[in-house]
Amino acid sequence: MVQIAIIPEPKKILAGEEGHADPVIRERKTDPDMGEEEYCLQLKKDGIWIAGGSEKACLYAESTLEQIRLQCGDALPCLTVEDCPAYSWRAFHIDCARHFIPADELKKMIRMSAHFKLNKFHWHFSDDQGWRIECRKFPLLHEIGAVRRGDHMGNYDSDETEDRYYTREQVREIVDYCGELGVEVIPEVDMPGHVTAVLAAYPQYGCRGEQIAVETRAGIFRDILCAGKEETFAFIEQLLDDLLELFPGKYFHIGGDEAPKEYWSSCPLCRKRMEEEGLETLQQLQGYMENRITAYLKVKGRTVIVWNEAAYGGNLDPDTIVQLWTDDKENRLEQHMERGGKAVISIVKNCYCDYPYGITSLRDVYELDECPAGLAKAKDRILGTECLIWTEHVRDEKRLETLCWPRFAASAEAGWRGQDRPGYPSFEARMKRLLPVFEKYGICPEEVSGWVPGPEEAQRQKAEFEKNFSAEDRQEVEKMQEII
C-alpha cells in the first residue's frame, strides 16, 4: 500500500483494491451506531464514502482526506481509514490577555488546530495585563481594564499603550466559527488571582479597595478578589451572566492559580468569613470561594474547570475538573480524583509552547505522559490533554505561529492516540511530509531544523530566554509563591 502521512495517525488503515480511487465524495453521513468522535473514511474506485458518529466526526474524516489529497492530488489510493480518539479532551489554549491577538489571526489558529482534530479552545482573555472582551454589565472592564500603559514584560521595554479588546459581535463570530469546525470554546476568567485588570476597573472588589493600574509587567501580584465581601460574589455572578450570553458551551474555566493570600491574611472580612464557615486555612478559603462560584455556574448548566492550585485546600467540589500544570502539592489532585473528580493534563515541561524549542522541544511535547505518576489508579478519570501558549513574550503573529506549530500538532497526536501513539520518529517523518498544510492555511511554522535543537543551541536559547527574568523578578516570584 502507498505510504500516506496522516496526523494524528489513525488507529487503522486498510489497503483497498489496486488502482486509484474516484476523488468524488459520494456519501457523507452520520451513523448513530458509531462513537461520537469515531469515523470511517473509504476511498474506493466508485468514490469516497464518509461516515461518522456525529457531524464533528465527519469533519475529522474530511481533515484526514484533506491530508491525503495534499500528498496524492486526485491520484488517490484505494484505502479505508477507521479511527477514534483515546481521549475526548484534546484542547488548545491561547492567551489573548497579555498581548492581544486580532480576530482574523485567532481564526487562523483555530482553523489550523481543528485540522489536527483538536476539539476544545481554551480562551484566556483576562489577566493582570488586560481584560479583552467587551462587557455590557461592567463596561469599565474594557474601558479601563483593556488599557495597559506600556509593555515591560521580560526584557522588553515600551511605553506604547495597548487598548484593544474583542467586541461582543466578534466574540459571537469566533464562537460560531469554532462551532462550524467542531471546536468547543472554553472561556476563562481567572479568580481570585490574576485580576489586576479587573481591580483596576472595579477596585472595591479587592481587600484593600485601593485604586491600582493594569499591570505592565509579567509576574504574580498581591491584589486579588476579596473572599470576605458579599459584594464580590454579587459582582462575579453578574459578570458571569454577562459572559454566559456569549459562551453557550458546557464548560467554564475559573482559574484559581497563583493567588497570593497576603491581603486575605490581614483582611478582617476574609478572617470573619473563615470563622463563620469553619475554615482553618487560607487555601480552604480559596476552595470555599471557588465552590461558591462553581455552585452558581452549575445552576446555569455549566461544568467548571480550575488550575490545580485551587485543589490545595482539599475542599474543592468533586464535580470540578482540575487542570494539572504544576507540582501537585501533597497529592491534592489525586485526592480530588479519589472523591470522583476529573482531570486534564497540561504539564509545563511538555505542554507550554511559549518557551523556545531549546527548552520545550517538539519531541518533549509529543512525549507527554498523559497519565502522570500518582494518578494511575484514577486514569479513567483523566479526560485528556491540553497544549498552551502564553503571550507575555509573544508580540507578533509570526512568533505566535512558530511557537505553536508544529507543537500543537504533536499535542494533538498525544491526545488522540494516548499511550498507543507510534513514537516521535514516526511523527516527525509524517510532519515533514505534511508541511504543505501550513502553507495552505497561511501558517508560519518553526523550521524543521529548529524542532529538536542540539545541546549547544538549546543552551543558547535557554540563556537568551532567561534574560526575560531579572534576579529581582525571580526573588519576587519566589516570595509570592510562599504566600500562595
Side-chain angles (χ1 to χ4, degrees):
M1 183 175 69
V2 177
Q3 292 298 309
I4 301 293
I6 300 173
I7 295 175
E9 182 166 271
K11 292 182 177 179
K12 188 181 293 186
I13 304 178
L14 305 172
E17 54 192 323
E18 293 281 339
H20 293 147
D22 186 325
V24 177
I25 297 176
R26 302 295 180 186
E27 183 176 76
R28 183 187 188 278
K29 67 177 184 179
T30 56
D31 183 345
D33 293 329
M34 300 176 76
E36 182 186 359
E37 294 191 290
E38 180 184 3
Y39 72 88
C40 177
L41 171 67
Q42 294 179 296
L43 279 63
K44 305 194 302 186
K45 284 193 171 181
D46 60 351
I48 297 171
W49 308 78
I50 291 173
S54 65
E55 172 60 25
K56 178 167 56 176
C58 290
L59 289 172
Y60 297 159
E62 290 175 345
S63 291
T64 296
L65 176 60
E66 184 178 0
Q67 292 185 7
I68 297 172
R69 288 192 193 276
L70 278 171
Q71 296 165 76
C72 303
D74 282 341
L76 298 175
C78 291
L79 54 80
T80 296
V81 178
E82 297 176 357
D83 206 8
C84 63
Y87 291 101
S88 62
W89 193 290
R90 303 176 310 281
F92 62 102
H93 160 288
I94 301 178
D95 168 17
C96 301
R98 273 55 176 265
H99 287 100
F100 183 83
I101 298 169
D104 286 346
E105 175 65 18
L106 197 54
K107 285 182 178 180
K108 274 177 60 179
M109 293 291 291
I110 292 164
R111 182 66 191 86
M112 195 77 263
S113 299
H115 176 83
F116 289 105
K117 305 181 178 70
L118 292 167
N119 65 352
K120 288 177 171 58
F121 168 35
H122 178 174
W123 194 354
H124 189 91
F125 54 77
S126 167
D127 216 294
D128 297 297
Q129 298 82 8
W131 174 279
R132 302 288 170 215
I133 284 183
E134 178 185 4
C135 186
R136 186 177 56 193
K137 182 67 178 179
F138 299 102
L140 296 184
L141 285 175
H142 62 269
E143 293 173 2
I144 294 176
V147 182
R148 183 178 65 237
R149 305 293 183 185
D151 180 353
H152 306 289
M153 288 176 259
N155 60 7
Y156 192 83
D157 191 24
S158 170
D159 291 325
E160 184 176 351
T161 295
E162 167 70 274
D163 59 0
R164 292 178 290 176
Y165 59 87
Y166 304 97
T167 66
R168 296 176 78 81
E169 181 180 355
Q170 286 177 315
V171 173
R172 289 191 178 96
E173 186 179 314
I174 290 168
V175 171
D176 289 345
Y177 183 70
C178 286
E180 293 169 4
L181 297 172
V183 174
E184 182 171 4
V185 180
I186 302 173
E188 180 186 355
V189 177
D190 211 333
M191 297 178 276
H194 285 291
V195 292
T196 304
V198 172
L199 294 177
Y202 297 96
Q204 63 267 37
Y205 302 119
C207 291
R208 298 190 302 154
E210 297 180 8
Q211 185 63 59
I212 59 176
V214 176
E215 271 298 341
T216 64
R217 300 169 297 122
I220 303 171
F221 304 98
R222 289 177 171 81
D223 281 290
I224 66 176
L225 294 171
C226 180
K229 296 177 181 177
E230 276 302 307
E231 307 95 287
T232 301
F233 292 97
F235 165 72
I236 291 170
E237 291 174 2
Q238 292 178 69
L239 175 58
L240 290 173
D241 285 344
D242 192 79
L243 291 170
L244 292 177
E245 292 181 10
L246 300 174
F247 298 103
K250 178 180 178 181
Y251 301 99
F252 203 103
H253 205 304
I254 61 172
D257 64 314
E258 298 178 332
K261 299 171 180 62
E262 179 179 341
Y263 293 142
W264 277 9
S265 180
S266 58
C267 174
L269 293 176
C270 287
R271 285 295 178 183
K272 181 181 179 184
R273 176 81 70 190
M274 291 179 66
E275 184 179 344
E276 290 174 347
E277 298 295 334
L279 305 172
E280 297 180 357
T281 68
L282 292 169
Q283 288 180 340
Q284 288 180 349
L285 179 60
Q286 179 171 345
Y288 163 85
M289 187 175 198
E290 308 288 3
N291 287 346
R292 276 195 61 173
I293 301 168
T294 295
Y296 188 79
L297 284 166
K298 285 169 74 172
V299 169
K300 302 289 183 175
R302 303 308 200 271
T303 298
V304 173
I305 312 162
V306 295
W307 301 108
N308 59 280
E309 293 101 314
Y312 287 174
N315 59 338
L316 196 65
D317 183 329
D319 290 337
T320 306
I321 297 169
V322 174
Q323 186 168 353
L324 179 65
W325 74 279
T326 188
D327 291 338
D328 180 19
K329 294 180 180 178
E330 302 173 358
N331 297 318
R332 291 299 191 183
L333 178 53
E334 181 181 9
Q335 295 167 27
H336 177 72
M337 295 174 75
E338 287 174 353
R339 294 190 292 120
K342 296 179 180 179
V344 171
I345 307 303
S346 55
I347 304 295
V348 171
K349 67 177 182 178
N350 302 99
C351 300
Y352 276 37
C353 298
D354 41 299
Y355 295 119
Y357 284 77
I359 295 178
T360 304
S361 71
L362 186 60
R363 180 189 288 271
D364 291 331
V365 176
Y366 187 85
E367 294 181 345
L368 167 72
D369 180 359
E370 81 284 359
C371 185
L375 300 183
K377 293 180 181 178
K379 62 181 180 180
D380 59 326
R381 289 192 288 279
I382 295 175
L383 297 176
T385 63
E386 181 171 314
C387 50
L388 307 92
I389 181 78
W390 300 98
T391 60
E392 288 97 332
H393 313 300
V394 181
R395 296 177 173 86
D396 64 78
E397 295 169 15
K398 181 179 179 181
R399 181 65 175 158
L400 174 73
E401 293 173 9
T402 50
L403 285 171
C404 291
W405 301 105
R407 290 197 280 199
F408 275 24
S411 179
E413 182 155 300
W416 186 272
R417 291 295 299 264
Q419 295 181 335
D420 187 39
R421 75 200 80 149
Y424 178 74
S426 166
F427 170 81
E428 184 180 274
R430 284 178 285 120
M431 192 73 263
K432 289 175 181 177
R433 293 184 63 186
L434 284 172
L435 285 174
V437 78
F438 296 120
E439 183 177 356
K440 177 177 179 178
Y441 288 106
I443 292 287
C444 180
E446 175 59 51
E447 297 286 340
V448 173
S449 60
W451 291 356
V452 184
E456 290 186 8
E457 175 60 17
Q459 187 57 41
R460 186 197 68 77
Q461 290 183 18
K462 184 173 183 290
E464 186 66 25
F465 186 74
E466 287 180 345
K467 291 179 182 178
N468 286 302
F469 311 100
S470 67
E472 293 77 11
D473 289 338
R474 294 178 189 277
Q475 290 173 2
E476 183 65 16
V477 168
E478 289 173 3
K479 192 183 301 181
M480 288 295 99
Q481 289 174 336
E482 290 175 0
I483 57 177
I484 289 173

